[in-house]
Amino acid sequence: MGYPDNVLARDEQVVLHRHPHWKRLIGPSLMLILASVAAAFVSGYANTLDWEGPATNVVFGVTAAIWLILVGWLTLWPFLNWLTTHFVITDRRVMFRHGLLTRSGIDIPLARINSVEFRHGLLDRILRTGTLIIESAAQDPLEFHDIPRVERVHSLLYHEVFDTLGTEESPS
């Protein structure tokens, strides 16, 4: 899925578009499995009891309501946050947008970027992810966590910055 064209300037081209690394979805996926197993266990146990129909139905309803709340809060919400988080490099700027109900973001013009760094530990190296650190002319360094293939993104961003500076410094 490409980044929406309505946020791009005329003639601006997307060079790279990434969501955070899928490792952010491991916890929510485990919570989905655990909540489902717990709900199935409680429902199965309630089904073995010699309660009258309405009491069993109340237990099933309460179990389903708790399951829906847990799955919505601990699984669906993190997935939608992951889905609505965008790290985009264009031929003019770096954009970061995140948030589901309240959106926020930052744009960094390529010409203002002073340095680009990356950092990743052993687990991040195994999963091919890491933190990208961008230092611009007017701000403290910005850290973007869980960027997939961070070394490739670092190299690509460095080349885009170099190309931008090269075109601005060369006489037209």
mmCIF file with all atom_site columns, all heavy atoms in Angstrom, residues 45-70:
data_model
loop_
_atom_site.group_PDB
_atom_site.id
_atom_site.type_symbol
_atom_site.label_atom_id
_atom_site.label_alt_id
_atom_site.label_comp_id
_atom_site.label_asym_id
_atom_site.label_entity_id
_atom_site.label_seq_id
_atom_site.pdbx_PDB_ins_code
_atom_site.Cartn_x
_atom_site.Cartn_y
_atom_site.Cartn_z
_atom_site.occupancy
_atom_site.B_iso_or_equiv
_atom_site.pdbx_formal_charge
_atom_site.auth_seq_id
_atom_site.auth_comp_id
_atom_site.auth_asym_id
_atom_site.auth_atom_id
_atom_site.pdbx_PDB_model_num
ATOM 1   N N   . TYR A 1 45 ? -15.731 -24.878 30.765 1.00 0.00 ? 45 TYR A N   1
ATOM 2   C CA  . TYR A 1 45 ? -15.981 -25.242 32.156 1.00 0.00 ? 45 TYR A CA  1
ATOM 3   C C   . TYR A 1 45 ? -17.422 -24.926 32.544 1.00 0.00 ? 45 TYR A C   1
ATOM 4   O O   . TYR A 1 45 ? -18.090 -25.727 33.204 1.00 0.00 ? 45 TYR A O   1
ATOM 5   C CB  . TYR A 1 45 ? -15.006 -24.521 33.078 1.00 0.00 ? 45 TYR A CB  1
ATOM 6   C CG  . TYR A 1 45 ? -15.206 -24.864 34.526 1.00 0.00 ? 45 TYR A CG  1
ATOM 7   C CD1 . TYR A 1 45 ? -14.845 -26.121 35.022 1.00 0.00 ? 45 TYR A CD1 1
ATOM 8   C CD2 . TYR A 1 45 ? -15.777 -23.945 35.403 1.00 0.00 ? 45 TYR A CD2 1
ATOM 9   C CE1 . TYR A 1 45 ? -15.040 -26.440 36.349 1.00 0.00 ? 45 TYR A CE1 1
ATOM 10  C CE2 . TYR A 1 45 ? -15.976 -24.264 36.733 1.00 0.00 ? 45 TYR A CE2 1
ATOM 11  C CZ  . TYR A 1 45 ? -15.607 -25.512 37.207 1.00 0.00 ? 45 TYR A CZ  1
ATOM 12  O OH  . TYR A 1 45 ? -15.815 -25.838 38.528 1.00 0.00 ? 45 TYR A OH  1
ATOM 13  N N   . ALA A 1 46 ? -17.916 -23.753 32.143 1.00 0.00 ? 46 ALA A N   1
ATOM 14  C CA  . ALA A 1 46 ? -19.297 -23.367 32.459 1.00 0.00 ? 46 ALA A CA  1
ATOM 15  C C   . ALA A 1 46 ? -20.286 -24.318 31.793 1.00 0.00 ? 46 ALA A C   1
ATOM 16  O O   . ALA A 1 46 ? -21.362 -24.579 32.343 1.00 0.00 ? 46 ALA A O   1
ATOM 17  C CB  . ALA A 1 46 ? -19.565 -21.941 32.017 1.00 0.00 ? 46 ALA A CB  1
ATOM 18  N N   . ASN A 1 47 ? -19.937 -24.868 30.670 1.00 0.00 ? 47 ASN A N   1
ATOM 19  C CA  . ASN A 1 47 ? -20.826 -25.798 29.959 1.00 0.00 ? 47 ASN A CA  1
ATOM 20  C C   . ASN A 1 47 ? -20.932 -27.137 30.677 1.00 0.00 ? 47 ASN A C   1
ATOM 21  O O   . ASN A 1 47 ? -21.938 -27.841 30.524 1.00 0.00 ? 47 ASN A O   1
ATOM 22  C CB  . ASN A 1 47 ? -20.315 -25.991 28.530 1.00 0.00 ? 47 ASN A CB  1
ATOM 23  C CG  . ASN A 1 47 ? -21.395 -26.446 27.586 1.00 0.00 ? 47 ASN A CG  1
ATOM 24  O OD1 . ASN A 1 47 ? -22.568 -26.199 27.811 1.00 0.00 ? 47 ASN A OD1 1
ATOM 25  N ND2 . ASN A 1 47 ? -20.987 -27.118 26.528 1.00 0.00 ? 47 ASN A ND2 1
ATOM 26  N N   . THR A 1 48 ? -19.919 -27.483 31.466 1.00 0.00 ? 48 THR A N   1
ATOM 27  C CA  . THR A 1 48 ? -19.953 -28.775 32.176 1.00 0.00 ? 48 THR A CA  1
ATOM 28  C C   . THR A 1 48 ? -20.731 -28.701 33.481 1.00 0.00 ? 48 THR A C   1
ATOM 29  O O   . THR A 1 48 ? -21.060 -29.738 34.058 1.00 0.00 ? 48 THR A O   1
ATOM 30  C CB  . THR A 1 48 ? -18.518 -29.268 32.492 1.00 0.00 ? 48 THR A CB  1
ATOM 31  O OG1 . THR A 1 48 ? -17.885 -28.333 33.365 1.00 0.00 ? 48 THR A OG1 1
ATOM 32  C CG2 . THR A 1 48 ? -17.715 -29.450 31.216 1.00 0.00 ? 48 THR A CG2 1
ATOM 33  N N   . LEU A 1 49 ? -21.008 -27.510 33.976 1.00 0.00 ? 49 LEU A N   1
ATOM 34  C CA  . LEU A 1 49 ? -21.733 -27.358 35.240 1.00 0.00 ? 49 LEU A CA  1
ATOM 35  C C   . LEU A 1 49 ? -23.222 -27.622 35.028 1.00 0.00 ? 49 LEU A C   1
ATOM 36  O O   . LEU A 1 49 ? -23.763 -27.417 33.934 1.00 0.00 ? 49 LEU A O   1
ATOM 37  C CB  . LEU A 1 49 ? -21.516 -25.959 35.807 1.00 0.00 ? 49 LEU A CB  1
ATOM 38  C CG  . LEU A 1 49 ? -20.062 -25.606 36.137 1.00 0.00 ? 49 LEU A CG  1
ATOM 39  C CD1 . LEU A 1 49 ? -19.976 -24.151 36.583 1.00 0.00 ? 49 LEU A CD1 1
ATOM 40  C CD2 . LEU A 1 49 ? -19.519 -26.523 37.228 1.00 0.00 ? 49 LEU A CD2 1
ATOM 41  N N   . ASP A 1 50 ? -23.879 -28.037 36.071 1.00 0.00 ? 50 ASP A N   1
ATOM 42  C CA  . ASP A 1 50 ? -25.314 -28.336 36.002 1.00 0.00 ? 50 ASP A CA  1
ATOM 43  C C   . ASP A 1 50 ? -26.146 -27.116 36.350 1.00 0.00 ? 50 ASP A C   1
ATOM 44  O O   . ASP A 1 50 ? -27.019 -27.153 37.224 1.00 0.00 ? 50 ASP A O   1
ATOM 45  C CB  . ASP A 1 50 ? -25.662 -29.502 36.952 1.00 0.00 ? 50 ASP A CB  1
ATOM 46  C CG  . ASP A 1 50 ? -25.127 -30.823 36.465 1.00 0.00 ? 50 ASP A CG  1
ATOM 47  O OD1 . ASP A 1 50 ? -24.980 -30.967 35.235 1.00 0.00 ? 50 ASP A OD1 1
ATOM 48  O OD2 . ASP A 1 50 ? -24.844 -31.697 37.306 1.00 0.00 ? 50 ASP A OD2 1
ATOM 49  N N   . TRP A 1 51 ? -25.881 -26.020 35.685 1.00 0.00 ? 51 TRP A N   1
ATOM 50  C CA  . TRP A 1 51 ? -26.645 -24.815 35.909 1.00 0.00 ? 51 TRP A CA  1
ATOM 51  C C   . TRP A 1 51 ? -27.813 -24.785 34.934 1.00 0.00 ? 51 TRP A C   1
ATOM 52  O O   . TRP A 1 51 ? -27.804 -25.429 33.884 1.00 0.00 ? 51 TRP A O   1
ATOM 53  C CB  . TRP A 1 51 ? -25.788 -23.577 35.682 1.00 0.00 ? 51 TRP A CB  1
ATOM 54  C CG  . TRP A 1 51 ? -24.740 -23.344 36.719 1.00 0.00 ? 51 TRP A CG  1
ATOM 55  C CD1 . TRP A 1 51 ? -24.607 -23.975 37.917 1.00 0.00 ? 51 TRP A CD1 1
ATOM 56  C CD2 . TRP A 1 51 ? -23.678 -22.411 36.641 1.00 0.00 ? 51 TRP A CD2 1
ATOM 57  N NE1 . TRP A 1 51 ? -23.534 -23.497 38.595 1.00 0.00 ? 51 TRP A NE1 1
ATOM 58  C CE2 . TRP A 1 51 ? -22.928 -22.524 37.836 1.00 0.00 ? 51 TRP A CE2 1
ATOM 59  C CE3 . TRP A 1 51 ? -23.261 -21.488 35.708 1.00 0.00 ? 51 TRP A CE3 1
ATOM 60  C CZ2 . TRP A 1 51 ? -21.822 -21.746 38.107 1.00 0.00 ? 51 TRP A CZ2 1
ATOM 61  C CZ3 . TRP A 1 51 ? -22.163 -20.708 35.982 1.00 0.00 ? 51 TRP A CZ3 1
ATOM 62  C CH2 . TRP A 1 51 ? -21.442 -20.838 37.180 1.00 0.00 ? 51 TRP A CH2 1
ATOM 63  N N   . GLU A 1 52 ? -28.794 -23.999 35.282 1.00 0.00 ? 52 GLU A N   1
ATOM 64  C CA  . GLU A 1 52 ? -29.912 -23.826 34.360 1.00 0.00 ? 52 GLU A CA  1
ATOM 65  C C   . GLU A 1 52 ? -29.469 -22.983 33.168 1.00 0.00 ? 52 GLU A C   1
ATOM 66  O O   . GLU A 1 52 ? -28.469 -22.277 33.222 1.00 0.00 ? 52 GLU A O   1
ATOM 67  C CB  . GLU A 1 52 ? -31.086 -23.156 35.082 1.00 0.00 ? 52 GLU A CB  1
ATOM 68  C CG  . GLU A 1 52 ? -31.677 -24.011 36.184 1.00 0.00 ? 52 GLU A CG  1
ATOM 69  C CD  . GLU A 1 52 ? -32.876 -23.357 36.816 1.00 0.00 ? 52 GLU A CD  1
ATOM 70  O OE1 . GLU A 1 52 ? -33.497 -22.497 36.182 1.00 0.00 ? 52 GLU A OE1 1
ATOM 71  O OE2 . GLU A 1 52 ? -33.191 -23.719 37.953 1.00 0.00 ? 52 GLU A OE2 1
ATOM 72  N N   . GLY A 1 53 ? -30.214 -23.055 32.104 1.00 0.00 ? 53 GLY A N   1
ATOM 73  C CA  . GLY A 1 53 ? -29.869 -22.368 30.855 1.00 0.00 ? 53 GLY A CA  1
ATOM 74  C C   . GLY A 1 53 ? -29.548 -20.898 30.996 1.00 0.00 ? 53 GLY A C   1
ATOM 75  O O   . GLY A 1 53 ? -28.533 -20.426 30.471 1.00 0.00 ? 53 GLY A O   1
ATOM 76  N N   . PRO A 1 54 ? -30.369 -20.092 31.703 1.00 0.00 ? 54 PRO A N   1
ATOM 77  C CA  . PRO A 1 54 ? -30.084 -18.663 31.796 1.00 0.00 ? 54 PRO A CA  1
ATOM 78  C C   . PRO A 1 54 ? -28.752 -18.365 32.502 1.00 0.00 ? 54 PRO A C   1
ATOM 79  O O   . PRO A 1 54 ? -28.026 -17.457 32.103 1.00 0.00 ? 54 PRO A O   1
ATOM 80  C CB  . PRO A 1 54 ? -31.251 -18.094 32.594 1.00 0.00 ? 54 PRO A CB  1
ATOM 81  C CG  . PRO A 1 54 ? -32.359 -19.065 32.401 1.00 0.00 ? 54 PRO A CG  1
ATOM 82  C CD  . PRO A 1 54 ? -31.704 -20.406 32.246 1.00 0.00 ? 54 PRO A CD  1
ATOM 83  N N   . ALA A 1 55 ? -28.405 -19.114 33.528 1.00 0.00 ? 55 ALA A N   1
ATOM 84  C CA  . ALA A 1 55 ? -27.155 -18.862 34.244 1.00 0.00 ? 55 ALA A CA  1
ATOM 85  C C   . ALA A 1 55 ? -25.960 -19.149 33.336 1.00 0.00 ? 55 ALA A C   1
ATOM 86  O O   . ALA A 1 55 ? -24.980 -18.388 33.315 1.00 0.00 ? 55 ALA A O   1
ATOM 87  C CB  . ALA A 1 55 ? -27.079 -19.715 35.501 1.00 0.00 ? 55 ALA A CB  1
ATOM 88  N N   . THR A 1 56 ? -26.028 -20.233 32.597 1.00 0.00 ? 56 THR A N   1
ATOM 89  C CA  . THR A 1 56 ? -24.955 -20.567 31.660 1.00 0.00 ? 56 THR A CA  1
ATOM 90  C C   . THR A 1 56 ? -24.844 -19.505 30.570 1.00 0.00 ? 56 THR A C   1
ATOM 91  O O   . THR A 1 56 ? -23.731 -19.111 30.187 1.00 0.00 ? 56 THR A O   1
ATOM 92  C CB  . THR A 1 56 ? -25.204 -21.947 31.025 1.00 0.00 ? 56 THR A CB  1
ATOM 93  O OG1 . THR A 1 56 ? -25.361 -22.914 32.071 1.00 0.00 ? 56 THR A OG1 1
ATOM 94  C CG2 . THR A 1 56 ? -24.044 -22.372 30.153 1.00 0.00 ? 56 THR A CG2 1
ATOM 95  N N   . ASN A 1 57 ? -25.982 -19.032 30.092 1.00 0.00 ? 57 ASN A N   1
ATOM 96  C CA  . ASN A 1 57 ? -25.967 -17.987 29.061 1.00 0.00 ? 57 ASN A CA  1
ATOM 97  C C   . ASN A 1 57 ? -25.361 -16.687 29.582 1.00 0.00 ? 57 ASN A C   1
ATOM 98  O O   . ASN A 1 57 ? -24.668 -15.974 28.837 1.00 0.00 ? 57 ASN A O   1
ATOM 99  C CB  . ASN A 1 57 ? -27.385 -17.732 28.538 1.00 0.00 ? 57 ASN A CB  1
ATOM 100 C CG  . ASN A 1 57 ? -27.887 -18.890 27.694 1.00 0.00 ? 57 ASN A CG  1
ATOM 101 O OD1 . ASN A 1 57 ? -27.102 -19.700 27.206 1.00 0.00 ? 57 ASN A OD1 1
ATOM 102 N ND2 . ASN A 1 57 ? -29.198 -18.972 27.546 1.00 0.00 ? 57 ASN A ND2 1
ATOM 103 N N   . VAL A 1 58 ? -25.599 -16.361 30.861 1.00 0.00 ? 58 VAL A N   1
ATOM 104 C CA  . VAL A 1 58 ? -25.009 -15.163 31.458 1.00 0.00 ? 58 VAL A CA  1
ATOM 105 C C   . VAL A 1 58 ? -23.487 -15.320 31.510 1.00 0.00 ? 58 VAL A C   1
ATOM 106 O O   . VAL A 1 58 ? -22.740 -14.387 31.178 1.00 0.00 ? 58 VAL A O   1
ATOM 107 C CB  . VAL A 1 58 ? -25.594 -14.894 32.858 1.00 0.00 ? 58 VAL A CB  1
ATOM 108 C CG1 . VAL A 1 58 ? -24.785 -13.854 33.613 1.00 0.00 ? 58 VAL A CG1 1
ATOM 109 C CG2 . VAL A 1 58 ? -27.042 -14.459 32.754 1.00 0.00 ? 58 VAL A CG2 1
ATOM 110 N N   . VAL A 1 59 ? -23.003 -16.492 31.914 1.00 0.00 ? 59 VAL A N   1
ATOM 111 C CA  . VAL A 1 59 ? -21.558 -16.735 31.959 1.00 0.00 ? 59 VAL A CA  1
ATOM 112 C C   . VAL A 1 59 ? -20.965 -16.617 30.560 1.00 0.00 ? 59 VAL A C   1
ATOM 113 O O   . VAL A 1 59 ? -19.904 -16.006 30.371 1.00 0.00 ? 59 VAL A O   1
ATOM 114 C CB  . VAL A 1 59 ? -21.246 -18.115 32.589 1.00 0.00 ? 59 VAL A CB  1
ATOM 115 C CG1 . VAL A 1 59 ? -19.779 -18.466 32.425 1.00 0.00 ? 59 VAL A CG1 1
ATOM 116 C CG2 . VAL A 1 59 ? -21.632 -18.127 34.054 1.00 0.00 ? 59 VAL A CG2 1
ATOM 117 N N   . PHE A 1 60 ? -21.656 -17.188 29.569 1.00 0.00 ? 60 PHE A N   1
ATOM 118 C CA  . PHE A 1 60 ? -21.170 -17.087 28.188 1.00 0.00 ? 60 PHE A CA  1
ATOM 119 C C   . PHE A 1 60 ? -21.134 -15.626 27.728 1.00 0.00 ? 60 PHE A C   1
ATOM 120 O O   . PHE A 1 60 ? -20.184 -15.178 27.079 1.00 0.00 ? 60 PHE A O   1
ATOM 121 C CB  . PHE A 1 60 ? -22.039 -17.897 27.228 1.00 0.00 ? 60 PHE A CB  1
ATOM 122 C CG  . PHE A 1 60 ? -21.892 -19.382 27.366 1.00 0.00 ? 60 PHE A CG  1
ATOM 123 C CD1 . PHE A 1 60 ? -22.922 -20.217 26.953 1.00 0.00 ? 60 PHE A CD1 1
ATOM 124 C CD2 . PHE A 1 60 ? -20.748 -19.965 27.891 1.00 0.00 ? 60 PHE A CD2 1
ATOM 125 C CE1 . PHE A 1 60 ? -22.795 -21.593 27.064 1.00 0.00 ? 60 PHE A CE1 1
ATOM 126 C CE2 . PHE A 1 60 ? -20.616 -21.332 28.010 1.00 0.00 ? 60 PHE A CE2 1
ATOM 127 C CZ  . PHE A 1 60 ? -21.646 -22.156 27.594 1.00 0.00 ? 60 PHE A CZ  1
ATOM 128 N N   . GLY A 1 61 ? -22.181 -14.870 28.067 1.00 0.00 ? 61 GLY A N   1
ATOM 129 C CA  . GLY A 1 61 ? -22.241 -13.458 27.669 1.00 0.00 ? 61 GLY A CA  1
ATOM 130 C C   . GLY A 1 61 ? -21.150 -12.625 28.331 1.00 0.00 ? 61 GLY A C   1
ATOM 131 O O   . GLY A 1 61 ? -20.505 -11.796 27.679 1.00 0.00 ? 61 GLY A O   1
ATOM 132 N N   . VAL A 1 62 ? -20.932 -12.842 29.635 1.00 0.00 ? 62 VAL A N   1
ATOM 133 C CA  . VAL A 1 62 ? -19.888 -12.104 30.349 1.00 0.00 ? 62 VAL A CA  1
ATOM 134 C C   . VAL A 1 62 ? -18.514 -12.486 29.797 1.00 0.00 ? 62 VAL A C   1
ATOM 135 O O   . VAL A 1 62 ? -17.650 -11.620 29.586 1.00 0.00 ? 62 VAL A O   1
ATOM 136 C CB  . VAL A 1 62 ? -19.978 -12.372 31.874 1.00 0.00 ? 62 VAL A CB  1
ATOM 137 C CG1 . VAL A 1 62 ? -18.750 -11.858 32.599 1.00 0.00 ? 62 VAL A CG1 1
ATOM 138 C CG2 . VAL A 1 62 ? -21.243 -11.746 32.439 1.00 0.00 ? 62 VAL A CG2 1
ATOM 139 N N   . THR A 1 63 ? -18.310 -13.773 29.555 1.00 0.00 ? 63 THR A N   1
ATOM 140 C CA  . THR A 1 63 ? -17.039 -14.230 28.984 1.00 0.00 ? 63 THR A CA  1
ATOM 141 C C   . THR A 1 63 ? -16.804 -13.593 27.617 1.00 0.00 ? 63 THR A C   1
ATOM 142 O O   . THR A 1 63 ? -15.703 -13.125 27.322 1.00 0.00 ? 63 THR A O   1
ATOM 143 C CB  . THR A 1 63 ? -17.015 -15.764 28.865 1.00 0.00 ? 63 THR A CB  1
ATOM 144 O OG1 . THR A 1 63 ? -17.231 -16.335 30.153 1.00 0.00 ? 63 THR A OG1 1
ATOM 145 C CG2 . THR A 1 63 ? -15.692 -16.258 28.311 1.00 0.00 ? 63 THR A CG2 1
ATOM 146 N N   . ALA A 1 64 ? -17.827 -13.555 26.792 1.00 0.00 ? 64 ALA A N   1
ATOM 147 C CA  . ALA A 1 64 ? -17.695 -12.953 25.462 1.00 0.00 ? 64 ALA A CA  1
ATOM 148 C C   . ALA A 1 64 ? -17.421 -11.451 25.562 1.00 0.00 ? 64 ALA A C   1
ATOM 149 O O   . ALA A 1 64 ? -16.594 -10.914 24.805 1.00 0.00 ? 64 ALA A O   1
ATOM 150 C CB  . ALA A 1 64 ? -18.957 -13.205 24.637 1.00 0.00 ? 64 ALA A CB  1
ATOM 151 N N   . ALA A 1 65 ? -18.079 -10.775 26.502 1.00 0.00 ? 65 ALA A N   1
ATOM 152 C CA  . ALA A 1 65 ? -17.863 -9.329  26.660 1.00 0.00 ? 65 ALA A CA  1
ATOM 153 C C   . ALA A 1 65 ? -16.428 -9.046  27.117 1.00 0.00 ? 65 ALA A C   1
ATOM 154 O O   . ALA A 1 65 ? -15.768 -8.142  26.587 1.00 0.00 ? 65 ALA A O   1
ATOM 155 C CB  . ALA A 1 65 ? -18.865 -8.757  27.661 1.00 0.00 ? 65 ALA A CB  1
ATOM 156 N N   . ILE A 1 66 ? -15.942 -9.808  28.085 1.00 0.00 ? 66 ILE A N   1
ATOM 157 C CA  . ILE A 1 66 ? -14.561 -9.619  28.560 1.00 0.00 ? 66 ILE A CA  1
ATOM 158 C C   . ILE A 1 66 ? -13.588 -9.925  27.426 1.00 0.00 ? 66 ILE A C   1
ATOM 159 O O   . ILE A 1 66 ? -12.604 -9.210  27.238 1.00 0.00 ? 66 ILE A O   1
ATOM 160 C CB  . ILE A 1 66 ? -14.292 -10.489 29.808 1.00 0.00 ? 66 ILE A CB  1
ATOM 161 C CG1 . ILE A 1 66 ? -15.104 -9.963  30.989 1.00 0.00 ? 66 ILE A CG1 1
ATOM 162 C CG2 . ILE A 1 66 ? -12.798 -10.522 30.143 1.00 0.00 ? 66 ILE A CG2 1
ATOM 163 C CD1 . ILE A 1 66 ? -15.068 -10.861 32.215 1.00 0.00 ? 66 ILE A CD1 1
ATOM 164 N N   . TRP A 1 67 ? -13.850 -10.984 26.663 1.00 0.00 ? 67 TRP A N   1
ATOM 165 C CA  . TRP A 1 67 ? -12.980 -11.335 25.534 1.00 0.00 ? 67 TRP A CA  1
ATOM 166 C C   . TRP A 1 67 ? -12.952 -10.200 24.510 1.00 0.00 ? 67 TRP A C   1
ATOM 167 O O   . TRP A 1 67 ? -11.881 -9.831  24.022 1.00 0.00 ? 67 TRP A O   1
ATOM 168 C CB  . TRP A 1 67 ? -13.455 -12.627 24.882 1.00 0.00 ? 67 TRP A CB  1
ATOM 169 C CG  . TRP A 1 67 ? -12.602 -13.058 23.736 1.00 0.00 ? 67 TRP A CG  1
ATOM 170 C CD1 . TRP A 1 67 ? -11.451 -13.776 23.797 1.00 0.00 ? 67 TRP A CD1 1
ATOM 171 C CD2 . TRP A 1 67 ? -12.819 -12.782 22.350 1.00 0.00 ? 67 TRP A CD2 1
ATOM 172 N NE1 . TRP A 1 67 ? -10.929 -13.971 22.538 1.00 0.00 ? 67 TRP A NE1 1
ATOM 173 C CE2 . TRP A 1 67 ? -11.751 -13.366 21.632 1.00 0.00 ? 67 TRP A CE2 1
ATOM 174 C CE3 . TRP A 1 67 ? -13.801 -12.091 21.651 1.00 0.00 ? 67 TRP A CE3 1
ATOM 175 C CZ2 . TRP A 1 67 ? -11.661 -13.270 20.250 1.00 0.00 ? 67 TRP A CZ2 1
ATOM 176 C CZ3 . TRP A 1 67 ? -13.702 -12.009 20.283 1.00 0.00 ? 67 TRP A CZ3 1
ATOM 177 C CH2 . TRP A 1 67 ? -12.640 -12.592 19.590 1.00 0.00 ? 67 TRP A CH2 1
ATOM 178 N N   . LEU A 1 68 ? -14.114 -9.649  24.174 1.00 0.00 ? 68 LEU A N   1
ATOM 179 C CA  . LEU A 1 68 ? -14.168 -8.547  23.203 1.00 0.00 ? 68 LEU A CA  1
ATOM 180 C C   . LEU A 1 68 ? -13.397 -7.322  23.692 1.00 0.00 ? 68 LEU A C   1
ATOM 181 O O   . LEU A 1 68 ? -12.672 -6.687  22.919 1.00 0.00 ? 68 LEU A O   1
ATOM 182 C CB  . LEU A 1 68 ? -15.613 -8.156  22.911 1.00 0.00 ? 68 LEU A CB  1
ATOM 183 C CG  . LEU A 1 68 ? -16.353 -9.033  21.913 1.00 0.00 ? 68 LEU A CG  1
ATOM 184 C CD1 . LEU A 1 68 ? -17.828 -8.653  21.860 1.00 0.00 ? 68 LEU A CD1 1
ATOM 185 C CD2 . LEU A 1 68 ? -15.727 -8.910  20.549 1.00 0.00 ? 68 LEU A CD2 1
ATOM 186 N N   . ILE A 1 69 ? -13.532 -6.992  24.971 1.00 0.00 ? 69 ILE A N   1
ATOM 187 C CA  . ILE A 1 69 ? -12.816 -5.838  25.517 1.00 0.00 ? 69 ILE A CA  1
ATOM 188 C C   . ILE A 1 69 ? -11.310 -6.075  25.474 1.00 0.00 ? 69 ILE A C   1
ATOM 189 O O   . ILE A 1 69 ? -10.544 -5.214  25.032 1.00 0.00 ? 69 ILE A O   1
ATOM 190 C CB  . ILE A 1 69 ? -13.297 -5.532  26.958 1.00 0.00 ? 69 ILE A CB  1
ATOM 191 C CG1 . ILE A 1 69 ? -14.732 -4.995  26.924 1.00 0.00 ? 69 ILE A CG1 1
ATOM 192 C CG2 . ILE A 1 69 ? -12.368 -4.546  27.645 1.00 0.00 ? 69 ILE A CG2 1
ATOM 193 C CD1 . ILE A 1 69 ? -15.395 -4.917  28.276 1.00 0.00 ? 69 ILE A CD1 1
ATOM 194 N N   . LEU A 1 70 ? -10.872 -7.249  25.916 1.00 0.00 ? 70 LEU A N   1
ATOM 195 C CA  . LEU A 1 70 ? -9.444  -7.561  25.904 1.00 0.00 ? 70 LEU A CA  1
ATOM 196 C C   . LEU A 1 70 ? -8.871  -7.592  24.491 1.00 0.00 ? 70 LEU A C   1
ATOM 197 O O   . LEU A 1 70 ? -7.802  -7.041  24.226 1.00 0.00 ? 70 LEU A O   1
ATOM 198 C CB  . LEU A 1 70 ? -9.180  -8.901  26.601 1.00 0.00 ? 70 LEU A CB  1
ATOM 199 C CG  . LEU A 1 70 ? -9.266  -8.900  28.114 1.00 0.00 ? 70 LEU A CG  1
ATOM 200 C CD1 . LEU A 1 70 ? -9.093  -10.306 28.658 1.00 0.00 ? 70 LEU A CD1 1
ATOM 201 C CD2 . LEU A 1 70 ? -8.234  -7.959  28.703 1.00 0.00 ? 70 LEU A CD2 1
#
